[in-house]
Amino acid sequence: MIQVTSAFDGGAITVQDASRADDIRLALRADVSADFSQWFYFRLAGVRDTELTVHLLNARASTYPGGWPGYRMVASHDQQHWFRVDTAFDGTRLSARHRSVADLIWFAYFEPYSQQRHAVLLAQAQLRPGTRVRTLGLSCKGRPIDVVETGVLDPAAPQVWVICRQHPGETMAEWFAEGLLDRLGDVADPVVTQLLRAARFHIVPNMNPDGSAMGNLRTNARGVDLNRAWVNASADASPEVFHVREAMLAHAPSIFLDVHGDEALPYVFVAGSEDQPHYTAAHRARDLRFKQLLTALSPDFQTVHGYPSGRFRPEMLAMASHWVADRFQCLSFTLEMPFKDNANLPDAAGGWNGARSRRLGAATVGAIHGSLLGQDS
Ligand code: ZN
């Protein structure tokens, strides 16, 4: 008898029929208060030495059906090591096959980032020299929205803002935050030493703790997509954005990164504000320099594939990177990592994963250093 459960941190699935191991019929569950679906995270029990076939029957009706071709589910027996499993999309349903070697196996859309790991991340950061953790406000459900601050206190110094996981199902964004914070804690790294003497960092590892706990793909507990709430952020319906925005107005960013995952594109890329009316040649040169630096520092980053530029529409200002670019005229990017893999540097066993997201976060410290302090030779 196989038991399918998802009543845990970040869990999400609907069970239709789990009576046969070779035909486990499941369905994606929508966000708790909104009609988005793509994220899944569930546990199977009673599956030792069992050939499993798991179907997500409603995959085609998900928010990003383009996310399924070429995608492989991740699974884990130990909650530490996550591996990819054979997965096929027939245009309607997503099906994965795997032989379970143990009693329990977890499946997820991407390597999860737990509330417990989030707590440890903050706990370790606060103990580093010159590093503070501050609660900017509370989420709809009363979870803290925490920012990690480190670097020089001079208010005239450049302020670097990095926010992660506005979309809670994009867990790679918090893995990225972990890599960024770990590198900033490395006192033997001269890039870090010089950067922290010249600039101050404000890092929000998880903008959407309610959505993360509830297993949502895109929204908070009130069903609000936070990355569409930056113009009309409200203390009531989108307090997560409201409080971070207030803090940002008090410490105006020189560099802003909003870290995400993209369901369909198998590449790491950034999306900027080049469509905005104010965008100048100087902005273009500044943005190009950042992209060149990150390209040199991480072979996982590239600038060939990404979102197409288009005509600016005022409603785009509801997105964080556009709102920040418009308000502060600073370097402002949405950074996207894949749910699938980096097609330029594929990893058959793991695809894109938490460890690679962490390395990218660490490499980004170098690009920020070069942007703020680098000399053209
Ligand atoms: Zn996103």
Side-chain angles (χ1 to χ4, degrees):
M1 164 94 176
I2 295 171
Q3 295 102 359
V4 187
T5 51
S6 61
F8 49 77
D9 177 19
I13 202 67
T14 302
V15 184
Q16 297 208 349
D17 181 2
S19 57
R20 287 179 48 186
D22 64 352
D23 187 20
I24 299 171
R25 296 167 163 264
L26 310 175
L28 296 166
R29 189 214 73 192
D31 283 12
V32 170
S33 303
D35 191 21
F36 293 105
S37 66
Q38 195 99 10
W39 173 260
F40 57 89
Y41 182 17
F42 56 89
R43 191 189 85 159
L44 303 186
V47 296
R48 182 174 291 264
D49 299 327
T50 306
E51 294 284 354
L52 300 169
T53 302
V54 173
H55 303 290
L56 300 183
L57 301 173
N58 60 348
R60 182 173 61 183
S62 71
T63 303
Y64 302 101
W68 304 128
Y71 165 79
R72 291 176 297 152
M73 292 188 195
V74 300
S76 176
H77 284 297
D78 60 6
Q79 284 280 319
Q80 301 288 326
H81 173 63
W82 291 82
F83 51 88
R84 298 276 174 170
V85 299
D86 285 342
T87 305
F89 179 59
D90 67 4
T92 301
R93 54 188 202 171
L94 189 76
S95 305
R97 287 172 199 278
H98 181 69
R99 180 174 179 81
S100 174
V101 298
D103 295 321
L104 308 179
I105 186 168
W106 288 262
F107 286 87
Y109 184 33
F110 193 83
E111 186 171 350
Y113 198 102
S114 69
Q115 292 183 68
Q116 175 60 19
R117 195 170 183 110
H118 174 76
V120 171
L121 183 71
L122 296 174
Q124 291 178 339
Q126 67 167 340
L127 296 173
R128 292 180 187 141
T131 303
R132 306 293 302 267
V133 174
R134 214 152 57 86
T135 298
L136 301 176
L138 299 178
S139 69
C140 296
K141 294 277 191 190
R143 291 189 174 88
I145 307 301
D146 291 318
V147 62
V148 180
E149 300 172 335
T150 190
V152 69
L153 276 166
D154 177 3
Q159 307 290 307
V160 179
W161 279 86
V162 182
I163 68 168
C164 303
R165 222 175 161 186
Q166 290 199 83
H167 295 145
E170 295 162 13
T171 54
M172 57 286 276
E174 192 158 9
W175 288 107
F176 177 100
E178 186 178 301
L180 182 76
L181 283 165
D182 281 353
R183 179 148 185 214
L184 290 176
D186 181 358
V187 294
D189 184 336
V191 167
V192 168
T193 304
Q194 194 178 45
L195 185 54
L196 294 184
R197 285 178 189 173
R200 187 158 186 81
F201 277 79
H202 309 258
I203 298 161
V204 183
N206 189 344
M207 287 284 294
N208 197 338
D210 290 350
S212 302
M214 295 188 295
N216 284 356
L217 175 74
R218 275 185 88 79
T219 57
N220 71 1
R222 295 279 297 269
V224 174
D225 180 338
L226 298 182
N227 203 29
R228 301 293 184 273
W230 282 72
V231 171
N232 295 313
S234 94
D236 204 33
S238 48
E240 300 89 351
V241 172
F242 182 85
H243 295 301
V244 171
R245 214 181 54 168
E246 291 297 300
M248 211 175 272
L249 289 166
H251 304 278
S254 301
I255 289 182
F256 174 76
L257 296 177
D258 178 19
V259 185
H260 288 256
D262 186 89
E263 288 78 4
L265 288 174
Y267 299 101
V268 177
F269 58 96
V270 290
S273 53
E274 62 275 3
D275 301 337
Q276 292 197 2
H278 68 73
Y279 197 76
T280 64
H283 291 145
R284 188 175 303 282
R286 176 201 64 195
D287 288 1
L288 182 63
R289 177 165 172 76
F290 178 89
K291 289 191 265 192
Q292 287 171 336
L293 286 160
L294 192 51
T295 304
L297 289 165
S298 175
D300 273 328
F301 182 72
Q302 56 79 56
T303 58
V304 174
H305 304 277
Y307 300 142
S309 295
R311 213 159 57 82
F312 178 76
R313 289 167 283 115
E315 60 266 31
M316 289 160 72
L317 294 177
M319 297 171 65
S321 67
H322 277 290
W323 184 84
V324 168
D326 177 68
R327 181 92 192 191
F328 302 105
Q329 304 286 306
C330 67
L331 186 151
S332 179
F333 282 124
T334 303
L335 186 150
E336 299 278 354
M337 289 172 277
F339 275 92
K340 296 174 178 174
D341 200 349
N342 171 8
N344 289 337
L345 210 53
D347 173 0
W352 191 257
N353 62 15
R356 295 176 78 182
S357 308
R358 262 199 327 251
R359 298 304 191 287
L360 184 72
T364 301
V365 171
I368 292 168
H369 173 269
S371 286
L372 291 175
L373 300 167
Q375 299 292 318
D376 289 317
S377 54

